């Protein structure tokens, strides 16, 4: 039985009928070279190092990682805001006006208003983001917010992995505004319905809903 690396090499060389585009997510090989970044980026708020152990352990649903996905490099284009539950990897994708803190907060405020404040905080128990300026005012709309270490995307690995999958359907070269709401919903549903080895062959949605029922029953 060939190893994983050999299979990926065969795919890259066209030896197999399977192509890279057919893969839901392809592993990335680590580079041993040290980063050449020398600039220091300030953490915008409470550091991820202060995040409690029960959040780090992925022991309950409701602790989300958040990031944005841009399309064409156009300041006037829409942006997709992506939230991924740390335990189940259940993902929500929202269209927002642009990549600004005002647009991020407006969407979260809309969710809080439509769901009700109690349900909002039960659903989104905590948020963990990077230090992008679009999240600089996140604390104004959610009191339990943490910021990852600058230049360390692995601290939001669940969100980063989902965004790599989203990029198969929402491309960097295409404006977000050109995608319909139905198409964005289709992408979200496809991600949440996909069986994952990480989840024992279950989908993110089934794991999320199962844990939601357990939470309500307790």
């Amino acid at each position: 039985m060939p190893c994983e690396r050999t299979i990926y090499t065969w795919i890259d060389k066209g030896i197999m009928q399977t192509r890279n585009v057919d893969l839901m997510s392809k592993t990335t090989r680590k580079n041993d070279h040290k980063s050449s970044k020398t600039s220091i980026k300030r953490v915008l708020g409470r550091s991820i190092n202060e995040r409690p152990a029960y959040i780090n352990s992925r022991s309950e649903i409701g602790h989300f990682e958040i990031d944005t996905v841009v399309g064409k490099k156009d300041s006037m284009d829409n942006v997709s805001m992506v939230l991924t539950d740390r335990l189940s990897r259940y993902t929500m994708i929202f269209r927002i006006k642009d990549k600004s803190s005002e647009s991020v907060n407006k969407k979260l405020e809309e969710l809080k208003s439509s769901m009700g404040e109690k349900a909002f905080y039960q659903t989104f128990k905590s948020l963990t983001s990077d230090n992008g300026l679009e999240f600089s005012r996140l604390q104004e709309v959610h009191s339990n917010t943490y910021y990852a270490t600058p230049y360390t995307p692995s601290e939001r690995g669940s969100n980063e992995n989902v965004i790599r999958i989203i990029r198969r359907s929402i491309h960097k070269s295409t404006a977000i505004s050109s995608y319909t709401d139905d198409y964005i919903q289709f992408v979200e549903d496809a991600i949440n319905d996909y069986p994952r080895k990480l989840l024992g062959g279950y989908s993110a949605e089934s794991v999320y809903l199962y844990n939601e029922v357990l939470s309500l029953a307790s």
Side-chain angles (χ1 to χ4, degrees):
M1 177 68 69
C3 68
E4 181 181 283
R5 177 172 294 185
T6 298
I7 292 174
Y8 280 123
T9 299
W10 288 351
I11 293 173
D12 289 338
K13 292 182 177 180
I15 296 174
M16 299 182 67
Q17 291 183 347
T18 302
R19 302 168 299 164
N20 283 316
V21 72
D22 298 321
L23 304 176
M24 176 60 78
S25 179
K26 183 175 179 180
T27 57
T28 54
R29 297 173 186 172
K30 294 182 179 180
N31 192 328
D32 293 331
H33 297 295
K34 293 183 179 179
S35 172
S36 60
K37 293 183 182 292
T38 56
S39 59
I40 298 176
K41 195 172 183 181
R42 182 174 65 87
V43 176
L44 294 172
R46 190 163 40 170
S47 168
I48 195 173
N49 296 325
E50 301 177 54
R51 199 170 63 181
Y54 72 90
I55 299 180
N56 295 335
S57 66
R58 303 178 189 267
S59 59
E60 64 177 3
I61 60 169
H63 300 287
F64 283 80
E65 298 171 4
I66 182 172
D67 203 355
T68 53
V69 172
V70 299
K72 247 174 123 177
K73 289 187 178 179
D74 182 354
S75 60
M76 302 300 291
D77 187 27
N78 294 161
V79 170
S80 291
M81 185 175 75
V82 181
L83 294 106
T84 305
D85 178 61
R86 284 177 49 76
L87 169 61
S88 66
R89 276 65 170 187
Y90 183 77
T91 295
M92 303 178 189
I93 307 175
F94 300 100
R95 184 199 302 274
I96 59 177
K97 181 181 177 182
D98 53 31
K99 192 175 180 178
S100 67
S101 58
E102 290 79 8
S103 293
V104 169
N105 281 18
K106 181 180 179 182
K107 175 53 68 176
L108 291 173
E109 288 287 6
E110 288 174 355
L111 289 172
K112 186 185 292 187
S113 177
S114 62
M115 297 170 67
E117 188 165 335
K118 182 178 179 181
F120 176 82
Y121 279 106
Q122 285 176 337
T123 302
F124 304 104
K125 296 171 184 174
S126 74
L127 297 176
T128 299
S129 75
D130 63 17
N131 290 273
L133 291 178
E134 69 269 35
F135 302 122
S136 59
R137 295 170 51 201
L138 207 53
Q139 309 97 314
E140 296 177 12
V141 69
H142 200 297
S143 57
N144 197 18
T145 299
Y146 302 91
Y147 290 89
T149 306
Y151 308 118
T152 314
S154 59
E155 292 182 345
R156 297 178 304 98
S158 299
N159 199 227
E160 288 289 314
N161 288 335
V162 164
I163 288 175
R164 279 197 286 271
I165 298 173
I166 290 174
R167 280 300 186 195
R168 289 175 48 126
S169 305
I170 298 178
H171 309 291
K172 289 183 178 180
S173 58
T174 305
I176 299 294
S177 56
S178 68
Y179 296 108
T180 65
D181 290 340
D182 286 343
Y183 181 78
I184 293 175
Q185 185 63 55
F186 169 79
V187 173
E188 178 185 308
D189 292 341
I191 290 171
N192 289 327
D193 290 342
Y194 188 81
R196 300 196 188 188
K197 181 179 179 181
L198 177 70
L199 301 175
Y202 294 99
S203 68
E205 182 173 31
S206 62
V207 173
Y208 183 83
L209 292 176
Y210 175 76
N211 280 274
E212 187 175 41
V213 170
L214 288 182
S215 178
L216 291 173
S218 61

